[in-house]
Amino acid sequence: MFFMGLFVLALVEIPYLNPHSRMRPHHLEIRWLLLPHLLAGSIAMLSGPIQFSSRIRRRFPKLHRILGRFYVGSVLIAAPLAMSIPIYLGQDKFYIGGTIAHAGTWFIATLVAFLIARNRNIPQHRQWMIRSYALTFSFIVVRVFSKFVPLPDPEFGIADVIITLFVLLATDIGMNWQELTTRRASAPALQPLPDILAAEDAASKFPEPRLVVGGRGLGPRRTKES
């Protein structure tokens, strides 16, 4: 993950700063959307891994909560901006659809993780945070993919949806890996009922329950012969 991030930074992001880049006019046109998106996305990308450190969670719970709020806030800013950019530029409908599916899933997973944490359901919160950060990092995966397999906008939009689904599936398989690879012990066989339940004097050992009505216990009805 670290080297994939360096790859994208060196070969995809830094070249955008070149004043002679053919993409510079395009980026200047949307800088009021692009810069906040890049800043918020970078905060999410860098703060996310720290949240998975059990040592930091135990020793510095306040830091964990503060970074968690920064992470959630940055995603809730970056995701809508990611969806807005292709709409503003009027790009291909498949590209727009793929971006909305990717960034929208990112937004929802992060919001769910936050709401579950607020309700103190910590195990479920961790699972949704794993999904959320997997989607955060999937933007790196998408850029690596597009660098090696350049596609026109319609095909790239479809590939973006496929990558999103693959990331979610791989994340859930990873979280359930132990259940997939470890066989549980067989359930113990049912034990026979105690002999006392089958004995003829079971009724005497377990008397009939008494019905309580109005504070008085009513035993078995007496017959005339008794």
Side-chain angles (χ1 to χ4, degrees):
M1 292 172 66
F2 175 74
F3 285 111
M4 288 176 68
L6 286 182
F7 175 86
V8 170
L9 181 65
L11 300 181
V12 179
E13 305 297 343
I14 290 180
Y16 289 158
L17 301 177
N18 185 353
H20 304 292
S21 171
R22 61 183 179 85
M23 296 296 294
R24 188 172 181 83
H26 167 75
H27 290 143
L28 288 175
E29 180 185 356
I30 58 172
R31 61 185 181 276
W32 56 281
L33 289 172
L34 187 61
L35 290 177
H37 168 70
L38 290 175
L39 178 60
S42 298
I43 292 173
M45 190 71 66
L46 296 174
S47 62
I50 303 174
Q51 296 300 95
F52 296 108
S53 170
S54 57
R55 180 176 299 178
I56 291 177
R57 288 200 305 268
R58 288 195 304 266
R59 297 183 61 184
F60 308 103
K62 186 175 181 179
L63 176 63
H64 175 76
R65 289 193 294 269
I66 292 173
L67 288 178
R69 293 188 182 100
F70 271 101
Y71 174 84
V72 171
S74 62
V75 172
L76 299 186
I77 292 172
L81 291 173
M83 292 185 278
S84 302
I85 290 173
I87 296 174
Y88 175 80
L89 294 174
Q91 291 182 276
D92 179 84
K93 61 181 180 180
F94 286 99
Y95 186 92
I96 293 175
T99 303
I100 291 176
H102 192 176
T105 305
W106 185 33
F107 183 96
I108 292 171
T110 306
L111 183 61
V112 169
F114 169 73
L115 295 176
I116 290 177
R118 193 176 62 175
N119 293 334
R120 306 299 183 191
N121 295 315
I122 303 305
Q124 291 77 15
H125 164 68
R126 290 174 181 169
Q127 292 179 4
W128 280 98
M129 275 298 295
I130 291 172
R131 295 185 183 101
S132 172
Y133 191 74
L135 290 165
T136 301
F137 193 79
S138 68
F139 287 91
I140 296 289
V141 176
V142 167
R143 284 166 172 78
V144 172
F145 175 82
S146 62
K147 193 68 178 177
F148 287 104
V149 188
L151 296 173
D153 283 357
E155 286 81 357
F156 182 82
I158 297 172
D160 203 3
V161 174
I162 294 173
I163 290 174
T164 302
L165 295 175
F166 175 79
V167 166
L168 289 176
L169 179 62
T171 302
D172 274 38
I173 290 175
M175 288 191 292
N176 294 280
W177 187 251
Q178 185 175 0
E179 288 77 7
L180 289 170
T181 57
T182 305
R183 186 180 180 89
R184 295 185 61 184
S186 300
L190 294 176
Q191 299 297 320
L193 290 174
D195 293 340
I196 189 173
L197 297 180
E200 295 180 357
D201 59 344
S204 62
K205 296 180 182 295
F206 296 91
E208 182 180 347
R210 298 171 61 85
L211 177 64
V212 178
V213 179
R216 298 179 59 188
L218 299 180
R221 181 178 298 175
R222 296 178 177 271
T223 62
K224 293 181 178 181
E225 291 76 10
S226 61

